[in-house]
Amino acid sequence: MSESVIKRKGVETGIRGLTLLEGFLTEAEEQTLLRAVDSKGWENLSKRRVQHHGYAFDYKVRGVNPREKIGPLPRFVEPIVSRLKALDDVGQEFDQLTVNEYVPGVGLSPHVDTHSMFTNVLASVSLAGHTVMEFRRGDEKQALLLQRRSVLILSGEARYAWRHYIPHRKTDPLEEGLAVSRPARRVSFTFRRIQVKPCNCDWPDECDTRKNEQLKILPGVEDEYVRRMYDAIAPHFSSTRFSRWPKVVEFLNS
């Protein structure tokens, strides 16, 4: 670990559960990780390259199939995983890794990683270049500069309630009207731990478990209120209308 680690907590941004460790890696460690990941095969998406280790990440559901393990995490990340586990803000193992490569103009759509798919803690390491990540919750919006060799840790409210994203642009605005160009390349290592159980969090607005429970209730609501109402008014429909609908008459006479 770099000797000049700067720890920033979510209270500085108003996002509880967010921790940013700047200088988490040394330059030598950064270069070792980049060489190792570049020796692996990349998968080409429409605008960026990715790698998946442990479990393949499904971007449609923002999760994984826990029955389809593709192998252990690569050995070259073991020191990083051990170091992350030792942090008070993490305290867990990881078994899924997604590697993303970004070039200028390419970003990440706003999202919350699926609640029921992964545990409470996510960790993302930035390599080769910086970026500005933005966070949204309702009308609230916060921006955070992620320096190269830093690690971003999301848990609790930051993990479950705030959507995070990287705007698709080639420059990032900074304070006092300044702007900085995106680097030629940025690589992120996002570590997760899968779980196979419903989510019981305190943030239902972004929770897939709560939304699925609501969908199960809807047929009963429809049957109790909507269908019963139509059944009740149906016998009186003809007698209460002064004239037939013109289009109905046209259809009947056709």
Side-chain angles (χ1 to χ4, degrees), residues 78-90:
E78 289 178 356
I80 306 301
V81 172
S82 297
R83 191 186 303 172
L84 289 170
K85 180 184 176 182
L87 296 174
D88 293 337
D89 297 299
V90 178

Side-chain angles (χ1 to χ4, degrees), residues 223-251:
D223 183 66
E224 182 175 356
Y225 295 101
V226 180
R227 292 179 182 175
R228 288 187 183 184
M229 180 189 72
Y230 281 118
D231 289 343
I233 68 174
H236 309 285
F237 181 77
S238 296
S239 60
T240 56
R241 286 204 56 81
F242 294 101
S243 63
R244 292 180 294 178
W245 287 324
K247 290 296 182 181
V248 174
V249 174
E250 180 181 335
F251 173 75

Side-chain angles (χ1 to χ4, degrees), residues 42-217:
W42 289 92
E43 174 187 350
N44 291 301
L45 300 184
S46 60
K47 294 183 179 180
R48 66 182 190 271
R49 298 196 301 174
V50 301
Q51 293 183 23
H52 301 294
H53 302 279
Y55 296 84
F57 190 83
D58 187 339
Y59 291 94
K60 294 180 180 179
V61 299
R62 293 286 174 189
V64 302
N65 185 338
R67 293 183 295 275
E68 295 183 359
K69 187 176 178 68
I70 58 178
L73 297 188
R75 295 189 63 181
F76 61 81
V77 300
E78 289 178 356
I80 306 301
V81 172
S82 297
R83 191 186 303 172
L84 289 170
K85 180 184 176 182
L87 296 174
D88 293 337
D89 297 299
V90 178
Q92 68 169 40
E93 295 279 1
F94 294 102
D95 57 10
Q96 196 277 332
L97 167 63
T98 295
V99 183
N100 283 286
E101 181 189 59
Y102 299 91
V103 296
V106 175
L108 190 65
S109 300
H111 70 281
V112 171
D113 286 62
T114 305
H115 287 200
S116 64
M117 293 281 187
F118 306 107
T119 58
N120 178 49
V121 181
L122 308 177
S124 184
V125 178
S126 294
L127 305 172
H130 65 270
T131 195
V132 171
M133 179 172 283
E134 298 190 3
F135 297 83
R136 292 179 184 174
R137 185 182 184 188
D139 295 331
E140 297 181 78
K141 182 178 177 180
Q142 298 286 348
L144 189 64
L145 176 63
L146 306 182
Q147 299 280 12
R148 53 181 290 203
R149 298 187 287 111
S150 68
V151 59
L152 174 69
I153 301 167
L154 303 179
S155 65
E157 181 182 302
R159 149 81 171 102
Y160 292 119
W162 288 79
R163 294 190 172 201
H164 59 276
Y165 68 108
I166 299 173
H168 298 266
R169 58 196 182 202
K170 294 185 178 181
T171 60
D172 288 312
L174 299 180
E175 298 177 356
E176 301 178 355
L178 300 177
V180 60
S181 298
R182 291 270 178 92
R185 185 192 195 202
R186 174 179 174 266
V187 176
S188 68
F189 282 37
T190 301
F191 295 93
R192 308 176 180 91
R193 182 173 180 82
I194 70 163
Q195 64 179 7
V196 188
K197 64 178 182 179
C199 178
N200 190 31
C201 70
D202 296 324
W203 299 277
D205 290 346
E206 297 288 349
C207 184
D208 61 299
T209 297
R210 305 295 178 83
K211 291 178 180 179
N212 289 337
E213 290 173 350
Q214 292 172 356
L215 289 175
K216 293 178 182 178
I217 294 174

